[in-house]
Amino acid sequence: LEVWVGESNILHADLDAFYASVEQRDEPRLRGRPVVVGGGVVLAASYEAKAFGVRAAMGAAALRRLCPHAVVVPPRFAAYTAASRAVFEIFADTTPLVENVSIDEAFLDVGGLRRLAGRPEAIGARLRARVRQEVGLPITVGIARTRFLAKVAGRVAKPDGLLLVAPDREREFLEPLPVALLWGIGEATASRLAARGITTLGDAAALPVEVLAAMVGAPTARRLRAVAEGREIGRTGGGPRRRSIGSQNALGRRPRDAAQIDAILLAVVDRVMHRVREARCVGRTVVLRLRFDDYAAVTRSHSLPMATAHTATVLAVARALLAAARPIIEQRGLTLLGLALADVDGDTAVQLVLPWAAGAETDGLVQDASDAVRARFGSDALRPATLLGHRRG
Ligand SMILES: [Mg+2]
């Protein structure tokens, strides 16, 4: 096995607007139109919808304002899971070194394959063609020396593109990119930097690190410099599975109707997401646990394309999982409902994989405010209005 250290051997492969692309693939009348997957909250938006500023995690009001003619379709998680499986089979067929990042995204190390399969760029092009032909979906491939750079290359190449960053072009590639591309740089930090005329990684790299540290703090300043200079810091995904944060409600044995069960779900989601944000974490996998009258229990889970601390997003997924389990609930009687957010990670480590910050603004503000109230007055001080009249616990 030849190992080409220091070459651009890492592929980051990421399906474009995954859920929305599956809908457009399966329903020809949706092609070329702004498609939004979700209901109360946007889970995914097609590129036609993104052109109007629609982003994942956006609420219904913002969606109506930005893109009133969007075609909104309910999620079909079974179809997404099947598509994901087919794509990951092509990944596994490409190289044995696949690092799973999420349902629609992976890193592939193709460094040892040059003799067998050719150069990484050719491997990436072939991978894209196969996913298009065999699964019917657009996928973007970024190629670089490190996972971080491969991921950034993919972001620049999106949608439906391929971009290779050669090792000797890394600085040149990074310098014009916006500082907000870096995880740990939120909107507040980015606008603080912009006020001082620093908008690109190159601007940041040109400043003495002490000056930068005075603006954004030493750790962020060090990271900005390291990235701008092509030295990778931190992980971009993968690695060991992280812990989960969860909560559950025992319901007793009296029968509950769908509205009551939904109110309980809302309370549990609200509680879990409050703890997730309090721990300054984000998570990617929503796990719903149900126990029945006969003590049998089932678990249903779904992994989002990106990590979140957003209540409405997690609630939308939890509701879809609950709806899918409706027949078994009606048959057997629900006695316990639990929910966990798994694949949880610190929120600064994953901001790069959150392309939806813009859409979450308003909801984020409401969340921050309610978290602040609860921090001061206790966790019962504020609850979603739908929970009024329902006892907690
Ligand atoms: Mg994707």
Side-chain angles (χ1 to χ4, degrees):
L1 204 74
E2 282 177 88
V3 180
W4 295 62
V5 180
E7 296 278 330
S8 296
N9 288 332
I10 306 294
L11 269 59
H12 178 252
D14 186 6
L15 290 156
D16 302 315
F18 178 41
Y19 297 173
S21 295
V22 172
E23 297 305 329
Q24 289 178 321
R25 177 195 68 181
D26 294 349
E27 180 54 70
R29 72 180 175 86
L30 296 178
R31 291 176 199 163
R33 299 179 63 186
V35 174
V36 164
V37 177
V41 67
V42 175
L43 288 176
S46 71
Y47 278 86
E48 295 86 353
K50 287 181 201 227
F52 290 93
V54 178
R55 296 287 178 268
M58 194 170 264
L63 172 62
R64 265 195 307 277
R65 180 165 45 79
L66 289 167
C67 191
H69 57 298
V71 187
V72 180
V73 298
R76 295 181 302 135
F77 291 123
Y80 312 147
T81 305
S84 169
R85 203 167 291 140
V87 171
F88 273 82
E89 269 167 33
I90 297 173
F91 290 168
D93 214 22
T94 303
T95 170
L97 301 174
V98 177
E99 185 187 311
N100 197 323
V101 179
S102 75
I103 188 172
D104 73 330
E105 184 185 340
F107 290 105
L108 288 77
D109 187 335
V110 299
L113 301 178
R114 287 180 191 236
R115 282 242 170 92
L116 275 167
R119 299 192 60 81
E121 209 168 356
I123 296 173
R126 206 156 52 234
L127 175 73
R128 277 171 33 73
R130 279 194 67 185
V131 171
R132 172 66 83 177
Q133 275 159 22
E134 295 170 30
V135 194
L137 294 175
I139 190 164
T140 292
V141 174
I143 309 171
R145 187 176 50 83
T146 68
R147 294 186 307 172
F148 170 76
L149 284 165
K151 185 155 182 144
V152 174
R155 265 184 82 162
V156 171
K158 266 183 175 297
D160 204 11
L162 181 143
L163 180 65
L164 177 136
V165 180
D168 59 346
R169 311 298 286 274
E170 286 171 6
R171 278 197 83 139
E172 204 179 317
F173 166 71
L174 285 166
E175 276 175 355
L177 296 179
V179 287
L181 209 64
L182 186 65
W183 65 97
I185 304 282
E187 263 176 70
T189 308
S191 54
R192 201 153 61 233
L193 287 167
R196 312 286 288 266
I198 297 150
T199 56
T200 67
L201 288 171
D203 296 338
L207 284 179
V209 75
E210 311 78 58
V211 177
L212 206 52
M215 290 182 224
V216 296
T220 303
R222 272 198 302 274
R223 258 197 340 260
L224 262 169
R225 286 299 291 261
V227 167
E229 287 165 9
R231 292 180 283 122
E232 186 178 26
I233 296 281
R235 54 199 284 286
T236 52
R241 289 268 156 171
R242 297 306 171 102
R243 66 202 173 93
S244 68
I245 295 177
S247 181
Q248 57 187 36
N249 264 25
L251 311 182
R253 288 182 176 258
R254 71 187 164 90
R256 315 265 181 162
D257 64 23
Q260 287 169 323
I261 292 174
D262 187 66
I264 291 159
L265 179 72
L266 180 53
V268 173
V269 169
D270 184 54
R271 197 153 70 225
V272 169
M273 296 316 292
H274 177 61
R275 285 174 51 198
V276 166
R277 292 192 297 275
E278 210 168 43
R280 302 197 58 77
C281 286
V282 291
R284 210 163 46 72
T285 302
V286 180
V287 183
L288 182 72
R289 187 162 168 267
L290 306 171
R291 201 173 65 204
F292 305 106
D293 245 351
D294 55 5
Y295 294 102
V298 296
T299 301
R300 296 279 182 269
S301 69
H302 181 76
S303 289
L304 290 158
M306 47 227 145
T308 185
H310 189 243
T311 301
T313 305
V314 171
L315 181 63
V317 173
R319 277 185 171 146
L321 292 171
L322 186 67
R326 187 74 65 206
I328 181 168
I329 291 172
E330 271 158 21
Q331 209 173 33
R332 307 175 82 164
L334 190 64
T335 56
L336 179 140
L337 186 155
L339 183 121
L341 190 66
D343 296 331
V344 161
D345 213 337
D347 63 356
T348 53
V350 289
Q351 217 165 43
L352 185 73
V353 297
L354 283 168
W356 60 19
E361 277 163 352
T362 347
D363 277 344
L365 283 175
V366 173
Q367 261 173 210
D368 289 349
S370 72
D371 287 352
V373 169
R374 281 195 276 217
R376 225 178 129 188
F377 301 108
S379 62
D380 275 326
L382 257 185
R383 292 155 71 195
T386 7
L387 295 183
L388 295 176
H390 290 274
R391 283 194 43 159
R392 179 175 175 166

